[in-house]
Amino acid sequence: MATSFTFTISDPEGMHARPAGKVVEKAQSYKSAVSLTDGDKTVDAKRIFGVMGLGAKCGDTITVDIEGEDETAAASELEAFLKENL
């Protein structure tokens, strides 16, 4: 069973290079699979080109799906991380 949550980006520049890199680094710290969805596009949150290619802008609501052995902790920590950085 996967865990998911939504997050609305409030950074005026959206998911630009610096926060995207941090998101990837944070996602890579978990054993679980982490994906981001914006509209009809879903990407692997552990790959920088995917996250950058998402093109998430300020005001976009993304869905974060996490599936794996540490998904509960990953969801909680990723949500806090996104609130602090985006």
Side-chain angles (χ1 to χ4, degrees):
M1 185 169 104
T3 300
S4 67
F5 65 90
T6 59
F7 175 78
T8 301
I9 296 174
S10 60
D11 185 311
E13 296 182 32
M15 183 86 76
H16 58 90
R18 188 178 52 76
K22 288 183 176 183
V23 168
V24 170
E25 185 176 307
K26 187 72 174 170
Q28 289 175 339
S29 70
Y30 302 105
K31 293 180 180 177
S32 296
V34 182
S35 63
L36 306 177
T37 301
D38 185 14
D40 60 354
K41 193 170 190 177
T42 299
V43 300
D44 182 346
K46 296 183 179 184
R47 298 187 181 272
I48 187 69
F49 290 115
V51 175
M52 291 294 298
L54 197 60
K57 297 176 177 55
C58 182
D60 285 356
T61 298
I62 60 173
T63 301
V64 181
D65 292 303
I66 306 154
E67 185 167 358
E69 62 186 82
D70 56 357
E71 68 185 48
T72 302
S76 174
E77 292 171 18
L78 279 168
E79 189 168 15
F81 177 83
L82 290 172
K83 287 179 181 174
E84 287 178 23
N85 292 284
L86 285 166

